């Protein structure tokens, strides 16, 4: 009798443990999510949300617009790779117009420019100039939709170089993303017959793919080296410091690219190119001007999103702009869109999703 009394509480506990836990309804989950979003909104002032919104718009609009304009330049008679790489950094003064008032508002002084930091900016500027030139070759030979898909491989190289140089962590989701995105690029390479422009030879198309992959690899290296500079030389990471780095790197890239565009003689050919451009001189100069403006606006938008929100959100927007560029190229430039390219786009988007999930899990653990 006594043993039965002793066992009764244990049995009640076991029954309680085995009882099914009522799951939340969809409405409860939506309500909880809405409450969290409302609390997050109230924690930040309205100017914060305005700046974040502008940064998001800049990323998902300016970067695709810059890619489309590069292809418009070549599709309408432009020939120079140096000019396209030059306008990518010619808009660097736009960032200076943002930085100098920021010094006054935040009451901060410029970061001291030591020899190592100065030398690192020169190296990054040279690598950025080379990176822009490689991308220019890619857009000269590939449809904009294809070039954008192949350029998404920069995420793979960013993760690899970040792991090797900065000791960034990698989990199963991130590794899965690397393999998935690589599979998407392989599909693009195998479907070259249905994706090539008539005036582009097979050799040029293959070289376009090679230049695009090499540029993406170099872009990933630049990203990792930039992070390494923050860790080793700057020791702090703020919106002002990132703007300073962007200005210095863009300035040196502009100087290196200017030397190239002058030495190649392409700078003197701008006038003749404008004359033979299909849309006329005004259209030619508008393409170059807006190409420079949109690229720098995209850079500013990415900087704002990373520091106002998170790198995960920047990764989400980076994933979103890939299909935006591809769809815009199909609609505006009548790019060929085969079933293999659609499959590659879906696979790449899946890879981005896996990477974002892995990054968010790693962020929560840290």
């Amino acid at each position: 009798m006594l043993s039965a009394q002793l066992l009764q509480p244990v049995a009640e506990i076991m029954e309680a443990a085995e009882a099914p836990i009522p799951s939340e309804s969809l409405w409860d989950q939506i309500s909880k999510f809405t409450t969290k979003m409302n609390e997050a909104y109230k924690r930040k002032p309205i100017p914060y949300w305005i700046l974040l919104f502008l940064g998001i718009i800049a990323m998902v609009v300016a970067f695709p617009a810059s890619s489309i304009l590069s292809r418009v330049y070549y599709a309408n008679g432009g020939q120079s790779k140096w000019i396209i790489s030059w306008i990518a950094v010619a808009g660097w003064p736009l960032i200076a117009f943002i930085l100098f008032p920021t010094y006054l508002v935040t009451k901060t002084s410029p970061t001291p420019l030591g020899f190592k930091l100065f030398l690192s900016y020169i190296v990054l500027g040279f690598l950025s100039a080379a990176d822009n030139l490689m991308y220019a070759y890619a857009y000269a030979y590939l449809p904009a939709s294809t070039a954008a898909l192949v350029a998404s491989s920069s995420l793979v190289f960013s993760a690899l170089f970040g792991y090797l140089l900065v000791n960034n962590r990698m989990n199963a989701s991130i590794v899965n993303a690397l393999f998935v995105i690589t599979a998407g690029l392989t599909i693009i390479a195998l479907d070259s017959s249905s994706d090539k422009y008539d005036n582009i030879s097979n050799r040029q198309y293959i070289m376009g793919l090679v230049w695009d992959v090499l540029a993406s690899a170099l872009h990933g290296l630049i990203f990792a080296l930039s992070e390494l500079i923050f860790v080793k030389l700057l020791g702090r990471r703020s919106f002002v410091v990132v703007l300073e780095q962007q200005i210095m790197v863009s300035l040196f890239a502009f100087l290196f690219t200017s030397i190239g565009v002058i030495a190649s003689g392409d700078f003197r050919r701008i006038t003749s190119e404008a004359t033979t451009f299909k849309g006329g001189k005004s259209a030619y100069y508008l393409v170059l001007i807006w190409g420079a403006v949109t690229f720098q606006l995209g850079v500013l938008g990415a900087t704002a999103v990373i520091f106002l929100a998170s790198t995960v959100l920047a990764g989400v927007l980076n994933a979103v702009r890939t299909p935006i560029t591809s769809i815009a190229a199909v609609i505006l430039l009548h790019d060929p869109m085969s079933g293999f390219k659609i499959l590659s786009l879906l696979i790449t988007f899946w890879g981005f999703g896996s990477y974002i999930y892995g990054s968010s899990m790693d962020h929560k653990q840290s």
Side-chain angles (χ1 to χ4, degrees):
M1 188 73 178
L2 181 59
S3 60
Q5 291 177 350
L6 292 173
L7 291 173
Q8 185 176 1
V10 178
E12 292 176 354
I13 293 174
M14 294 295 293
E15 291 177 359
E18 293 176 356
I21 300 173
S23 59
E24 290 182 329
S25 64
L26 179 61
W27 178 254
D28 291 337
Q29 294 178 8
I30 294 175
S31 178
K32 185 182 294 186
F33 178 76
T34 304
T35 302
K36 289 182 179 180
M37 291 297 294
N38 191 37
E39 291 174 354
Y41 172 76
K42 290 180 180 179
R43 284 198 299 266
K44 302 291 184 180
I46 292 179
Y48 166 89
W49 294 108
I50 293 175
L51 290 175
L52 181 59
F53 175 77
L54 292 176
I56 291 173
I57 294 298
M59 275 198 74
V60 300
V61 174
F63 273 139
S66 176
S67 300
I68 295 296
L69 287 169
S70 296
R71 187 56 223 170
V72 167
Y73 167 82
Y74 290 115
N76 289 274
Q79 299 290 330
S80 174
K81 284 76 176 177
W82 278 108
I83 290 176
I84 286 297
S85 60
W86 182 69
I87 66 170
V89 287
W92 68 268
L94 291 175
I95 305 178
F97 292 141
I98 302 295
L99 176 63
F100 294 138
T102 306
Y103 282 138
L104 300 176
V105 173
T106 59
K107 297 180 180 179
T108 57
S109 56
T111 303
L113 193 61
F115 175 75
K116 289 184 178 180
L117 186 60
F118 182 76
L119 184 62
S120 66
Y121 286 155
I122 294 177
V123 173
L124 285 179
F126 177 78
L127 294 178
S128 296
D131 190 46
N132 292 331
L133 184 61
M134 291 179 186
Y135 274 129
Y137 273 94
Y139 277 94
Y141 299 143
L142 300 177
S145 55
T146 304
L149 281 171
V150 176
S152 65
S153 64
S154 63
L155 181 63
V156 175
F157 295 106
S158 295
L160 291 175
F161 285 122
Y163 175 76
L164 295 173
L165 299 179
V166 199
N167 296 323
N168 289 339
R169 290 187 291 183
M170 295 181 67
N171 53 36
S173 295
I174 294 178
V175 174
N176 175 68
L178 305 188
F179 281 103
V180 169
I181 293 174
T182 303
L185 299 179
T186 304
I187 293 174
I188 286 291
L190 296 175
D191 189 42
S192 60
S193 59
S194 64
D195 193 39
K196 184 172 62 66
Y197 288 129
D198 294 335
N199 62 332
I200 300 297
S201 65
N202 289 329
R203 182 180 180 277
Q204 288 176 323
Y205 184 90
I206 293 173
M207 289 306 300
L209 290 176
V210 171
W211 284 120
D212 210 352
V213 173
L214 289 176
S216 300
L218 187 55
H219 188 78
L221 177 62
I222 292 170
F223 187 85
L225 290 176
S226 299
E227 190 172 356
L228 188 64
I229 289 172
F230 282 114
V231 174
K232 298 293 185 180
L233 298 180
L234 294 173
R236 63 190 180 99
R237 197 167 180 176
S238 66
F239 189 72
V240 171
V241 172
V242 172
L243 287 180
E244 288 175 339
Q245 187 193 62
Q246 188 60 43
I247 287 178
M248 294 301 296
V249 172
S250 297
L251 173 60
F252 283 115
F254 174 75
L255 293 177
F256 284 122
T257 310
S258 297
I259 294 172
V261 77
I262 293 173
S264 65
D266 287 359
F267 192 78
R268 294 191 301 270
R269 287 198 289 267
I270 289 181
T271 304
S272 61
E273 272 198 352
T275 305
T276 59
F277 200 70
K278 288 183 180 179
K281 289 185 178 180
S282 59
Y284 178 83
Y285 290 117
L286 283 175
V287 167
L288 297 187
I289 292 171
W290 280 109
V293 171
T294 52
F295 187 85
Q296 293 302 321
L297 287 179
V299 171
L300 282 173
T303 304
V305 169
I306 290 172
F307 286 93
L308 292 175
S310 66
T311 53
V312 176
L313 179 58
V316 172
L317 297 174
N318 194 55
V320 168
R321 73 183 178 97
T322 297
I324 288 177
T325 305
S326 299
I327 294 171
V330 172
I331 296 174
L332 300 176
L333 304 179
H334 307 292
D335 270 12
M337 180 61 78
S338 64
F340 281 107
K341 187 184 287 188
I342 294 174
L343 178 61
S344 176
L345 179 61
L346 295 176
I347 289 176
T348 302
F349 206 67
W350 172 26
F352 273 121
S354 180
Y355 182 85
I356 292 164
Y357 176 77
S359 298
S360 62
M361 292 298 100
D362 186 61
H363 179 72
K364 288 181 180 179
Q365 290 175 2
S366 61

